[in-house]
Amino acid sequence: MREGASACAASSEQRFVHDAVLLQETVAAVLGVKSLPKCTDDAPQPSLQMSGIYVDATFGRGGHSRLLLSHLSDDATLVVFDKDPTAIAVAQELAASDSRVKVVHDSFATLTDSLAALGIDQVDGLMADLGISSPQIDDGSRGFSFMRDGAVDMRMDTSRGQSVAEWLEQVDDETLANVLYEFGEERHSRRIARAIKQMDSYESTLELAEVIKTAHPNWQRGKHPATQSFQAMRIFINNELGDVDDFLVQSIPILKAGGQLAVISFHSLEDRRIKQFLQRHSKGQYPEDDKLPMPPKRPRYFSKPKRVGPSKSEVSGNPRARSAWLRLATRSDVEYQQAASQD
């Protein structure tokens, strides 16, 4: 049986691999349906058999992709992106058993060019699960966790770029403090930055976390004091917010009229960007227009966006889902105008 052939099997299988957050809701959204068909005794393997071209911009371990594939027809195409070489290895295994899957080892910020290289100029649906995945956190050697020891790396793509440790060796106190504040919303950024720069080396995530913990004057109950600092360094070194902005802008011309955009975020920095982007492009209203006596008429590229959160049962079964939000919108039947998209 080709992977993805059974919606029920795909959903069940992934619980052993990776708890894909808002799984059913995201796949339903990218397919443009209110909900996916349920497994029953009469129909143990229901499938929508949708045709078209779809993109999973953050493959991870393939939870969303596998469920989506189970609802696609044999002539459909799914292009999956990821920076992480380990994720790409999993994606290539999936592609070897399912000819509908095309794999791109790169950031979703390269969306337009990467799809063009595959002969694709528009798609029927785009989905993305932003941030860090559970397997990445659980693997201490990647450097994302302040609970497991490992090298202070934090790169999504370990085959290229500068590690956090290398960056910390070179950065000055002020720049580091600004990064901690801007990307981690850490109020005590200057104090923490000074403590980090006083370290002899940056070889251990646990040592780095302990220094931050000691320097932090105000611990929030139930939250490790290094949480925001680790988040900030990870987001900065991977250019995560810049990539999100580039991806969102490219989603407009890439989506067909009636195509679906579905994006999951886990913290306010990402969610705010997605919210504001969809608001602007669904209302045709831009902040800079407020200063003009006669604001130009802006195209409305998306329908009224919606926001979906995890159910209580999902949060109970997967605590990491508690901060997740899914924002979704439908591409309007409006011709894309390059000049109108410039903010």
Side-chain angles (χ1 to χ4, degrees), residues 21-22 264-268 271 310 315 318-326:
V21 173
L22 291 162
I264 302 170
S265 62
F266 288 84
H267 57 76
S268 59
D271 185 58
V315 173
N318 181 14
R320 286 175 178 164
R322 66 183 180 275
S323 60
W325 287 109
L326 167 65

Side-chain angles (χ1 to χ4, degrees), residues 275-292 295-302 340-343:
K275 175 184 177 181
Q276 292 174 349
F277 173 83
L278 291 176
Q279 284 181 337
R280 288 198 305 269
H281 292 294
S282 62
K283 295 179 179 179
Q285 298 174 352
Y286 294 76
E288 60 267 30
D289 293 347
D290 295 339
K291 302 176 183 178
L292 301 177
K297 185 177 180 181
R298 301 277 194 173
R300 300 184 180 188
Y301 289 124
F302 287 103
S341 70
Q342 302 301 317
D343 296 342

Side-chain angles (χ1 to χ4, degrees), residues 245-266:
D245 290 340
D246 289 343
F247 168 73
L248 291 173
V249 169
Q250 292 174 73
S251 72
I252 299 174
I254 285 294
L255 279 168
K256 296 178 181 178
Q260 309 295 322
L261 177 65
V263 186
I264 302 170
S265 62
F266 288 84

Side-chain angles (χ1 to χ4, degrees), residues 100-220:
R100 297 174 296 175
V101 180
K102 311 299 179 185
V103 181
V104 177
H105 180 197
D106 213 332
S107 165
F108 52 50
T110 69
L111 184 68
T112 302
D113 290 342
S114 293
L115 290 178
L118 295 172
I120 299 171
D121 57 4
Q122 285 195 310
V123 303
D124 296 272
L126 283 170
M127 63 180 179
D129 182 0
L130 304 181
I132 190 170
S133 69
S134 296
Q136 288 171 326
I137 296 174
D138 295 338
D139 182 357
S141 67
R142 299 297 301 276
F144 295 112
S145 175
F146 42 74
M147 304 298 289
R148 297 174 174 84
D149 201 19
V152 183
D153 194 319
M154 301 193 202
R155 288 173 297 167
M156 296 290 190
D157 186 349
T158 54
S159 68
R160 67 187 87 172
Q162 187 180 44
S163 71
V164 168
E166 292 169 334
W167 176 68
L168 287 175
E169 291 283 359
Q170 303 169 2
V171 71
D172 59 78
D173 294 28
E174 183 178 0
T175 302
L176 174 56
N178 290 339
V179 166
L180 299 183
Y181 183 79
E182 181 180 355
F183 299 112
E185 299 177 301
E186 176 53 72
R187 292 186 300 161
H188 306 288
S189 60
R190 297 197 180 281
R191 180 171 179 169
I192 293 171
R194 285 195 297 269
I196 291 175
K197 287 302 295 181
Q198 289 173 4
M199 295 179 66
D200 294 330
S201 67
Y202 306 103
E203 298 178 356
S204 166
T205 51
L206 288 184
E207 289 180 7
L208 177 60
E210 186 61 29
V211 167
I212 296 172
K213 179 180 177 181
T214 302
H216 205 296
N218 185 21
W219 299 2
Q220 183 177 334

Side-chain angles (χ1 to χ4, degrees), residues 7-28:
C8 305
S11 180
S12 175
E13 174 191 352
Q14 283 315 106
R15 281 195 285 270
F16 296 99
V17 181
H18 170 48
D19 291 326
V21 173
L22 291 162
L23 177 61
Q24 298 279 329
E25 296 88 343
T26 302
V27 173

